[in-house]
Amino acid sequence: MSTVQTLRASIEKFQENSRGPQPKDIYEAQQWEMAGAHAMLINGLLNVYEAVSVPQGKEQLFVQYALQWVAALDHHHDWEENLYYPLFAPKFNTDTIVAEHETFHAGAEKLKAYLVSCLPVGATWGYSQVAGTHEQQVFDGVHMRTLVDGFVNELTKHLVQEISYLEPDALRASGLTEAEVKHIAGVSEKHMKSMPPTTFLVYTIIHAPKGSFFPPVPGVVRNILAPYVFYIPNRKLALPPPRPLPICLLCRCLTPPRELLFL
């Protein structure tokens, strides 16, 4: 399969396990949230990969947009390795899940290094990261896609397999009590709420596939704060708003160039 086909096929698989609102059953909720997060991440990568052209003068904005995906992926796996999965021990072994990260890590790092090299020294990206001293390269979309091609199979294979590891029955069979899983979920939720809403939250809401209830945030956050408050600071990063903004005198400033709408 082509890279686009691979990405689309994996999104469909994730959606099978993340349909409808977040389950009230705490065991089922773990798989639902992971599938929703994976669908969001792969949809974000698909948007970057399918960008046919970047208007002249908008290359840096696109690179920063692409690096927002890199930051989201890095955060997701750092959260898994250092916060989420350690809480499952010792009853539920997650070593296999974490070990699979190495299968695509090098490829993702190459993509990150290339994209950062296309930024001017001192430019910010992701969650307040800064491009260090380097010789700035001219952005090449074909090269970027080649780098994605190099790790997409390993990435999607891992993300799909991870959903199967989190089968609710397997979590129950491990001996994890409902109270313990609720504790895990609570610690994770607290961490997610500590992330910057203008980048992390807005990106997550925008890139969740159409019809998804992920992330499980209150309606006031999804429908008011995200599109009318949190979206504004980074509106230039080729990000379409979480929902259409009202037409007003500022509409040209609040809406990204048509060429950069990837959803």
Side-chain angles (χ1 to χ4, degrees):
M1 288 194 296
S2 68
T3 291
V4 169
Q5 290 173 324
T6 297
L7 293 172
R8 291 190 182 281
S10 63
I11 290 173
E12 290 179 3
K13 291 180 181 179
F14 300 140
Q15 289 180 303
E16 292 175 2
N17 293 104
S18 59
R19 297 190 189 283
Q22 181 185 36
K24 293 183 179 181
D25 182 283
I26 194 63
Y27 295 97
E28 294 176 6
Q30 303 314 298
Q31 187 183 54
W32 181 91
E33 287 196 37
M34 191 64 73
H38 288 184
M40 176 275 295
L41 286 169
I42 295 304
N43 196 43
L45 180 56
L46 179 63
N47 289 328
V48 169
Y49 191 88
E50 286 195 309
V52 177
S53 63
V54 178
Q56 187 174 4
K58 301 292 184 180
E59 294 87 354
Q60 181 177 335
L61 292 176
F62 176 77
V63 168
Q64 288 174 300
Y65 167 73
L67 279 166
Q68 202 61 45
W69 177 82
V70 171
L73 183 73
D74 281 352
H75 167 265
H76 181 76
H77 289 127
D78 181 70
W79 159 74
E80 287 183 344
E81 294 174 7
N82 298 299
L83 191 151
Y84 186 63
Y85 283 136
L87 294 173
F88 284 78
K91 292 183 178 180
F92 188 78
N93 191 306
T94 60
D95 291 348
T96 298
I97 300 175
V98 173
E100 288 177 3
H101 292 174
E102 288 302 315
T103 63
F104 57 83
H105 178 73
E109 286 296 304
K110 288 180 182 178
L111 175 64
K112 180 200 298 185
Y114 172 68
L115 291 171
V116 171
S117 76
C118 295
L119 292 176
V121 174
T124 58
W125 63 274
Y127 308 133
S128 301
Q129 288 100 317
V130 179
T133 303
H134 64 275
E135 182 176 344
Q136 186 176 356
Q137 299 187 54
V138 176
F139 174 72
D140 181 347
V142 173
H143 181 59
M144 180 197 70
R145 293 184 188 92
T146 299
L147 292 175
V148 174
D149 293 339
F151 68 87
V152 69
N153 287 330
E154 290 79 10
L155 173 63
T156 53
K157 179 181 179 181
H158 159 69
L159 295 179
V160 170
Q161 288 184 165
E162 186 171 9
I163 303 306
S164 67
Y165 296 147
L166 294 177
E167 283 288 348
D169 288 344
L171 294 180
R172 291 190 181 92
S174 72
L176 283 169
T177 66
E178 185 173 324
E180 288 172 329
V181 180
K182 284 183 176 179
H183 171 70
I184 293 171
V187 171
S188 178
E189 181 181 7
K190 182 178 180 180
H191 168 75
M192 296 303 176
K193 287 181 176 179
S194 73
M195 294 297 292
T198 57
T199 47
F200 178 78
L201 178 62
V202 169
Y203 186 90
T204 300
I205 291 175
I206 287 174
H207 293 88
K210 185 177 180 180
S212 173
F213 284 80
F214 181 86
V217 295
V220 67
V221 174
R222 185 185 302 277
N223 300 317
I224 298 177
L225 293 179
Y228 296 107
V229 180
F230 300 147
Y231 167 74
I232 304 304
N234 294 296
R235 61 189 179 276
K236 292 183 179 181
L237 295 186
L239 291 171
R243 60 179 295 182
L245 294 173
I247 297 176
C248 66
L249 295 177
L250 296 178
C251 64
R252 292 190 178 183
C253 295
L254 300 182
T255 305
R258 186 65 196 173
E259 298 88 342
L260 290 182
L261 295 180
F262 306 115
L263 291 183

